Amino acid sequence: MGLAITVARRSLLQRPGRTLFSLAGIALGIATVVAVVVLDHNTIVGLTGPLRAAGSPDIELRAVDGVTELDEIEGVSLATRYFQADASVSSKPPGTEGRQSRKRAGLVAMDSALAPQLGVYRLADGEDLPVHAETGQRGVLIGTKLAEKLEVGLGDPLWISRPRRPGKKVCEDGVLVETEAPEADPLELEFKVSGVLTREQLGRRSAGMVVVMDFDLGEQLYKGVHIDRRWWARRDAGVDVERLKSTLARTHSYELNKAAVLGQAADERAFRTGVNMAGLMALLLGLYVIFHTLSMSLTERMREVGTLHALGTTRAQVGRIFLLEAVMLAGSGAALGVAGGLALARSLLTRGITTLGTGKHVDIFLVPWDVVLPLGALGFLIALVGSVYPLVALGGTSSVGALRGDAALRDTRLGLRFHLLYALLLGLILPGAYFVVVPIVGEATTELVIVLLSAVGVLGLLGMLAMVLPAILSTVAAALIRPLSTWLPFAAHMAERSIRASPARIGVSAASLALVTAGLVGLKGMTRSLAGEIEVWAAEAVQDKVWVRDMPPTKFAALSEHLHSYPGVLGLEKGNVRVHAPFLIMGVEVSELAGYGPCAEDASLMRSLSERQGMILSRRLAKDLDYKVGDPVHLSRANGMVETFHVCAISDAYGHYPYPDERMYGLIADDHMEAYYCVDAETVTEVAVRLAPDADQGIVEAAVFEFHKGPHGIHFRTGQTVLEDHLADIRRDFTLFDILIVLTAVLAGLGVLNGQLLSALERAKEIGVLSALGVTRGQVAGMVLLESAAVGLLGGGLGMLLGVLGVPFVVGSLEKIAGLSLPMTGAGPWAWIGFLGAVSVALLASLYPIWRMNRTDAVRSVRTG
Amino acid sequence: MMDGPLVRVEGLFKFHGQSGDPNAILRDVSFQVEPGEFVCIMGPSGSGKTTLLHLLSGLDEPSAGTVELGGASLAGLNTRKRTLQRRDQVGYVFQFFNLLPNLSVRENILLPLVIAGGAEAKGHAALEELARRLSIEARLDAFPHQLSGGEMQRCSIARALIGGQPLLLCDEPTGNLSQKAGAEVMDLLRGCVDEKLDGQAERSVLLVTHNPRDAARADRVLFLVDGSLAPEAALQGPGLTVEAVHDALKGLSI
């Protein structure tokens, strides 16, 4: 083992450049993918944690009128009946002293058989609710604070009733009315404390003064009194959220817990999947670099193998040397990669960069070792297999052949086998294993699988080109620099010869650059389409609008009359007449819509809104939930009943409000809003003013100030600034992709650099001889720069082509996956920026090899054979 | 026709190793090579022969002393200027041929012209003539690994001659060849001086060898022992014989 350690250590230390850059390749690849996974984990856990704290289920449902049983709904499981109310709780039986110690607590009633599986509470002590229907027992779970206040513990009896109070006020026809008159003597039942809740989720409700009981028992307590019955349900893991919403909307009013769907919306899934794919690309490029390095150094290593054999070293000993070296290289690279990835993820999180966009605050930093370690191991093992295989494959060659060395790689069969293994490892095994370790985000829909397979197909294509058909790429690269032979005869001639002599190196380097260029062009093409979609939306929704907020409470009618006296004012929309049931519903004064949008073209729409419970949906909501004109929409009213509206138009012309920014909403007449939700629609603090296209937007400010006799802290915002903010959001949200692209570009650069460096080392003698023949340093530099330029031109050109051709596919896929309507804007200038970037990376990567080549000792080179 | 010697070496020293413990490779070496002269330098292994060639070609710099090539001193020239001087003045023939493996024989021979940047059309004509004279015209499209040792060295000589430089530095050109192939190479080198093989006038050859048979083909033989020239043993032609060279070596106990 001593020999193995010595030789392996010397080999790594005496070629610091090769070692360093190989290590950097593995480490950077693993670091990127680890960073992506850790970032995503912390994004989801960090952002859902606070949302889960409230103890809400994944889904809260209300059925339309008359439906009392919940039929099976695709994507929903464990639905339990539920209601919440107040309870009066005592530790003393009725008629005993100390009854004044009764406590008011929140009451949550659920099916006792299913409640434990919903994950909405945890027990600090004791057992879950006994199933009342089976055992007849009356158990109850209590909050910690209630247990303290009543000084009760497990097994103690509690007497619970509904509070003695007036009936609850509910909104009926625009008026808050009291519900049924309470009974004089509420029913009081004896319960036994089954368990004590932790101070989280449901256990936090009412500051810990809470009881959880069986639904039927709860109903008994509230018999004859109005309760708001709902269902609580759990979302099936992996179900598509948009499909679930669409299904639910057909028969129910629903509320989805943000924690359950965070990161699961179509656009979020697409974003996270994209990030994961970028991670895979980085890992693949990192391993590409190491394999490339190894294949390049094979000739050199074969001579070493021959020498060792000639000196009496056994094949087993030689195998141990190279295995040890590979373990040291891959192991250090993997360890550095994991550490670097964790540091990178932490650094990104502290800068507010997450896998759900930028600007989100995540306080925690957790390391999902169950994913990180397998990823590190995956990188390590594949690097190891790639490192050891050449030596195993070449183990059968003769020592004399090995000593000659230069013949080793010229064996076509061996070269093909060698490259095929790498293509198999990188094109099939690595992506396959990667998706086992890092599962696909959300449901593996057909569209998503097609996109992923296509992405892997592109990787495979480049891998095939680079590894199996390198001669084609090198011929093209050589042809690219031939025209320069008139001006730079020596450099062009030598670069061409070098390219032709090392087709695999050129092919792999060009393919790496092509991959990154295609990634950049595709990504930027996609963001341009997203920006284009924003612009199309903005032209309808925000252009020619001015938002006014922070007004003192203002009578809408008076303000409207005042503003309409100004030229160019087409209509006013109310900003603060809104409810959420289950999506954002805005109330509008129907007559204000007459001057623009679809109501200007079809006056009957206004009648639909006012008289036939019509509803205008925003385009995104309609697309996401698959609503069409005429479809029913079930909304939960404030009294818990469900009201059915009908879609009368789909348009973004009305209703968008940037506080908060929401593009999924519906509009109903504010008469309905008042009637069903008891919202004051006559008084506003916020309005949006729609102007004619050529109107002066400054008149809104002037008019409002005049109306209010001064500024009074009122704020204004124009449609143009809203558009600019949306576009800035896209740029900001894609910062993570930009970072990943830069990292992969560095990796591709490392691949080129490594190839050039190995070439420099292999060609040290050649460079020395050339120097002896009168070649200047400038000519050496020219030779290498031209070679790199050819690689850059080829890689950049190929990548640009793939990217430009791929943009429609990427955008089309995103449309299908994320449910967006995206215009095909193409990659625009990014195609050329990507191309020039590839050439620049290739040229930059050649600087160190040039320096290294020019340090070649010509005297030493020409002394030896 | 230039005035004065083609090569002038004065008081040349070369030290290797640590500055505190220098190992003198060459000590106070002085000599000249006239245009059209075939000079041989003999000496045992480690006597500094190859180092001397490196200094003459400007590949290496002396620790002390001067080297003039074609009347111009190499002292004080930076790397680039020394390279250009070498390109203009020196053709180099190596013991191990040093042909570039990825270039064909034709491309290897034309390489100095390509490096110098042009004259390829003229070069092709010269190449044909050189190849014919060196009997490698049928091997021009072969690659180095397809050649025999003698062919490789003839290719190397052709490469050294194609640029028309006045000085040919030959470092053990027959050291890696069979006796027959070595004799052929020496005929060629002699021919470079006598018959103006490539049509160039006044070419000089400086041959480094430890083979008395090769040395006997020179006009003048200098002996390098432990880094110093032994002027008392120097032989001057014409009519040098192998025996005379042997005797001189014996006299120096080599």
PDB file of all heavy atoms in Angstrom, chain A residues 204-221:
ATOM      1  N   ARG A 204     -52.245  25.852  19.705  1.00  0.00           N
ATOM      2  CA  ARG A 204     -51.947  27.276  19.909  1.00  0.00           C
ATOM      3  C   ARG A 204     -53.203  28.136  19.829  1.00  0.00           C
ATOM      4  O   ARG A 204     -53.178  29.311  20.182  1.00  0.00           O
ATOM      5  CB  ARG A 204     -51.006  27.752  18.787  1.00  0.00           C
ATOM      6  CG  ARG A 204     -49.561  27.754  19.171  1.00  0.00           C
ATOM      7  CD  ARG A 204     -48.726  28.258  18.024  1.00  0.00           C
ATOM      8  NE  ARG A 204     -49.177  29.574  17.550  1.00  0.00           N
ATOM      9  CZ  ARG A 204     -48.694  30.168  16.471  1.00  0.00           C
ATOM     10  NH1 ARG A 204     -47.787  29.575  15.739  1.00  0.00           N
ATOM     11  NH2 ARG A 204     -49.114  31.353  16.104  1.00  0.00           N
ATOM     12  N   ARG A 205     -54.240  27.552  19.285  1.00  0.00           N
ATOM     13  CA  ARG A 205     -55.460  28.353  19.087  1.00  0.00           C
ATOM     14  C   ARG A 205     -56.009  28.840  20.427  1.00  0.00           C
ATOM     15  O   ARG A 205     -55.903  28.163  21.447  1.00  0.00           O
ATOM     16  CB  ARG A 205     -56.518  27.533  18.361  1.00  0.00           C
ATOM     17  CG  ARG A 205     -56.165  27.336  16.897  1.00  0.00           C
ATOM     18  CD  ARG A 205     -57.361  27.001  16.072  1.00  0.00           C
ATOM     19  NE  ARG A 205     -56.974  26.923  14.669  1.00  0.00           N
ATOM     20  CZ  ARG A 205     -57.812  26.599  13.693  1.00  0.00           C
ATOM     21  NH1 ARG A 205     -59.081  26.341  13.968  1.00  0.00           N
ATOM     22  NH2 ARG A 205     -57.397  26.547  12.456  1.00  0.00           N
ATOM     23  N   SER A 206     -56.617  29.971  20.404  1.00  0.00           N
ATOM     24  CA  SER A 206     -57.169  30.607  21.604  1.00  0.00           C
ATOM     25  C   SER A 206     -56.146  30.634  22.737  1.00  0.00           C
ATOM     26  O   SER A 206     -56.467  30.384  23.898  1.00  0.00           O
ATOM     27  CB  SER A 206     -58.435  29.863  22.076  1.00  0.00           C
ATOM     28  OG  SER A 206     -59.366  29.771  21.032  1.00  0.00           O
ATOM     29  N   ALA A 207     -54.910  30.860  22.329  1.00  0.00           N
ATOM     30  CA  ALA A 207     -53.793  30.941  23.303  1.00  0.00           C
ATOM     31  C   ALA A 207     -53.705  29.695  24.169  1.00  0.00           C
ATOM     32  O   ALA A 207     -53.395  29.755  25.366  1.00  0.00           O
ATOM     33  CB  ALA A 207     -53.941  32.186  24.164  1.00  0.00           C
ATOM     34  N   GLY A 208     -54.021  28.547  23.595  1.00  0.00           N
ATOM     35  CA  GLY A 208     -53.900  27.275  24.343  1.00  0.00           C
ATOM     36  C   GLY A 208     -55.161  26.911  25.087  1.00  0.00           C
ATOM     37  O   GLY A 208     -55.255  25.831  25.688  1.00  0.00           O
ATOM     38  N   MET A 209     -56.161  27.795  25.026  1.00  0.00           N
ATOM     39  CA  MET A 209     -57.444  27.507  25.682  1.00  0.00           C
ATOM     40  C   MET A 209     -58.341  26.857  24.624  1.00  0.00           C
ATOM     41  O   MET A 209     -59.225  27.494  24.035  1.00  0.00           O
ATOM     42  CB  MET A 209     -58.073  28.808  26.185  1.00  0.00           C
ATOM     43  CG  MET A 209     -57.247  29.531  27.233  1.00  0.00           C
ATOM     44  SD  MET A 209     -57.246  28.680  28.806  1.00  0.00           S
ATOM     45  CE  MET A 209     -58.887  29.064  29.393  1.00  0.00           C
ATOM     46  N   VAL A 210     -58.102  25.602  24.353  1.00  0.00           N
ATOM     47  CA  VAL A 210     -58.796  24.950  23.260  1.00  0.00           C
ATOM     48  C   VAL A 210     -59.151  23.508  23.632  1.00  0.00           C
ATOM     49  O   VAL A 210     -58.428  22.863  24.416  1.00  0.00           O
ATOM     50  CB  VAL A 210     -57.917  24.999  21.977  1.00  0.00           C
ATOM     51  CG1 VAL A 210     -56.624  24.218  22.164  1.00  0.00           C
ATOM     52  CG2 VAL A 210     -58.665  24.492  20.763  1.00  0.00           C
ATOM     53  N   VAL A 211     -60.307  23.041  23.119  1.00  0.00           N
ATOM     54  CA  VAL A 211     -60.649  21.624  23.272  1.00  0.00           C
ATOM     55  C   VAL A 211     -60.933  21.055  21.889  1.00  0.00           C
ATOM     56  O   VAL A 211     -61.495  21.737  21.031  1.00  0.00           O
ATOM     57  CB  VAL A 211     -61.895  21.410  24.175  1.00  0.00           C
ATOM     58  CG1 VAL A 211     -61.581  21.763  25.601  1.00  0.00           C
ATOM     59  CG2 VAL A 211     -63.094  22.193  23.658  1.00  0.00           C
ATOM     60  N   VAL A 212     -60.493  19.826  21.678  1.00  0.00           N
ATOM     61  CA  VAL A 212     -60.744  19.122  20.422  1.00  0.00           C
ATOM     62  C   VAL A 212     -61.586  17.901  20.763  1.00  0.00           C
ATOM     63  O   VAL A 212     -61.225  17.126  21.656  1.00  0.00           O
ATOM     64  CB  VAL A 212     -59.421  18.700  19.755  1.00  0.00           C
ATOM     65  CG1 VAL A 212     -59.700  17.907  18.484  1.00  0.00           C
ATOM     66  CG2 VAL A 212     -58.560  19.919  19.442  1.00  0.00           C
ATOM     67  N   MET A 213     -62.716  17.744  20.058  1.00  0.00           N
ATOM     68  CA  MET A 213     -63.600  16.611  20.370  1.00  0.00           C
ATOM     69  C   MET A 213     -64.166  16.011  19.093  1.00  0.00           C
ATOM     70  O   MET A 213     -63.967  16.545  17.993  1.00  0.00           O
ATOM     71  CB  MET A 213     -64.736  17.058  21.296  1.00  0.00           C
ATOM     72  CG  MET A 213     -65.673  18.087  20.674  1.00  0.00           C
ATOM     73  SD  MET A 213     -67.074  18.480  21.742  1.00  0.00           S
ATOM     74  CE  MET A 213     -66.264  19.194  23.151  1.00  0.00           C
ATOM     75  N   ASP A 214     -64.879  14.909  19.279  1.00  0.00           N
ATOM     76  CA  ASP A 214     -65.499  14.242  18.142  1.00  0.00           C
ATOM     77  C   ASP A 214     -66.598  15.120  17.553  1.00  0.00           C
ATOM     78  O   ASP A 214     -67.316  15.829  18.282  1.00  0.00           O
ATOM     79  CB  ASP A 214     -66.081  12.904  18.606  1.00  0.00           C
ATOM     80  CG  ASP A 214     -66.711  12.151  17.464  1.00  0.00           C
ATOM     81  OD1 ASP A 214     -65.940  11.593  16.652  1.00  0.00           O
ATOM     82  OD2 ASP A 214     -67.960  12.164  17.349  1.00  0.00           O
ATOM     83  N   PHE A 215     -66.750  15.051  16.212  1.00  0.00           N
ATOM     84  CA  PHE A 215     -67.697  15.917  15.522  1.00  0.00           C
ATOM     85  C   PHE A 215     -69.128  15.688  16.024  1.00  0.00           C
ATOM     86  O   PHE A 215     -69.870  16.639  16.293  1.00  0.00           O
ATOM     87  CB  PHE A 215     -67.620  15.653  14.013  1.00  0.00           C
ATOM     88  CG  PHE A 215     -68.472  16.566  13.202  1.00  0.00           C
ATOM     89  CD1 PHE A 215     -67.989  17.805  12.776  1.00  0.00           C
ATOM     90  CD2 PHE A 215     -69.760  16.223  12.846  1.00  0.00           C
ATOM     91  CE1 PHE A 215     -68.774  18.663  12.028  1.00  0.00           C
ATOM     92  CE2 PHE A 215     -70.561  17.075  12.098  1.00  0.00           C
ATOM     93  CZ  PHE A 215     -70.054  18.296  11.681  1.00  0.00           C
ATOM     94  N   ASP A 216     -69.515  14.402  16.177  1.00  0.00           N
ATOM     95  CA  ASP A 216     -70.897  14.119  16.589  1.00  0.00           C
ATOM     96  C   ASP A 216     -71.182  14.677  17.974  1.00  0.00           C
ATOM     97  O   ASP A 216     -72.271  15.208  18.247  1.00  0.00           O
ATOM     98  CB  ASP A 216     -71.150  12.602  16.578  1.00  0.00           C
ATOM     99  CG  ASP A 216     -71.158  12.070  15.152  1.00  0.00           C
ATOM    100  OD1 ASP A 216     -71.450  12.877  14.235  1.00  0.00           O
ATOM    101  OD2 ASP A 216     -70.839  10.888  14.949  1.00  0.00           O
ATOM    102  N   LEU A 217     -70.192  14.579  18.847  1.00  0.00           N
ATOM    103  CA  LEU A 217     -70.373  15.123  20.199  1.00  0.00           C
ATOM    104  C   LEU A 217     -70.488  16.634  20.148  1.00  0.00           C
ATOM    105  O   LEU A 217     -71.290  17.243  20.862  1.00  0.00           O
ATOM    106  CB  LEU A 217     -69.215  14.697  21.098  1.00  0.00           C
ATOM    107  CG  LEU A 217     -69.140  13.182  21.383  1.00  0.00           C
ATOM    108  CD1 LEU A 217     -67.827  12.832  22.087  1.00  0.00           C
ATOM    109  CD2 LEU A 217     -70.330  12.766  22.239  1.00  0.00           C
ATOM    110  N   GLY A 218     -69.675  17.251  19.291  1.00  0.00           N
ATOM    111  CA  GLY A 218     -69.746  18.706  19.123  1.00  0.00           C
ATOM    112  C   GLY A 218     -71.126  19.118  18.629  1.00  0.00           C
ATOM    113  O   GLY A 218     -71.704  20.111  19.100  1.00  0.00           O
ATOM    114  N   GLU A 219     -71.635  18.352  17.667  1.00  0.00           N
ATOM    115  CA  GLU A 219     -72.968  18.659  17.137  1.00  0.00           C
ATOM    116  C   GLU A 219     -74.034  18.546  18.220  1.00  0.00           C
ATOM    117  O   GLU A 219     -74.981  19.333  18.266  1.00  0.00           O
ATOM    118  CB  GLU A 219     -73.292  17.703  15.988  1.00  0.00           C
ATOM    119  CG  GLU A 219     -72.946  18.266  14.614  1.00  0.00           C
ATOM    120  CD  GLU A 219     -73.581  17.462  13.496  1.00  0.00           C
ATOM    121  OE1 GLU A 219     -73.736  16.236  13.669  1.00  0.00           O
ATOM    122  OE2 GLU A 219     -73.904  18.062  12.467  1.00  0.00           O
ATOM    123  N   GLN A 220     -73.851  17.542  19.086  1.00  0.00           N
ATOM    124  CA  GLN A 220     -74.818  17.378  20.198  1.00  0.00           C
ATOM    125  C   GLN A 220     -74.815  18.625  21.075  1.00  0.00           C
ATOM    126  O   GLN A 220     -75.869  19.129  21.475  1.00  0.00           O
ATOM    127  CB  GLN A 220     -74.444  16.165  21.048  1.00  0.00           C
ATOM    128  CG  GLN A 220     -74.867  14.829  20.464  1.00  0.00           C
ATOM    129  CD  GLN A 220     -74.562  13.692  21.423  1.00  0.00           C
ATOM    130  OE1 GLN A 220     -74.757  13.811  22.635  1.00  0.00           O
ATOM    131  NE2 GLN A 220     -74.070  12.599  20.871  1.00  0.00           N
ATOM    132  N   LEU A 221     -73.629  19.141  21.357  1.00  0.00           N
ATOM    133  CA  LEU A 221     -73.541  20.327  22.220  1.00  0.00           C
ATOM    134  C   LEU A 221     -74.227  21.533  21.568  1.00  0.00           C
ATOM    135  O   LEU A 221     -74.803  22.369  22.229  1.00  0.00           O
ATOM    136  CB  LEU A 221     -72.078  20.678  22.507  1.00  0.00           C
ATOM    137  CG  LEU A 221     -71.278  19.696  23.358  1.00  0.00           C
ATOM    138  CD1 LEU A 221     -69.852  20.202  23.557  1.00  0.00           C
ATOM    139  CD2 LEU A 221     -71.939  19.519  24.730  1.00  0.00           C
TER     140      LEU A 221
END
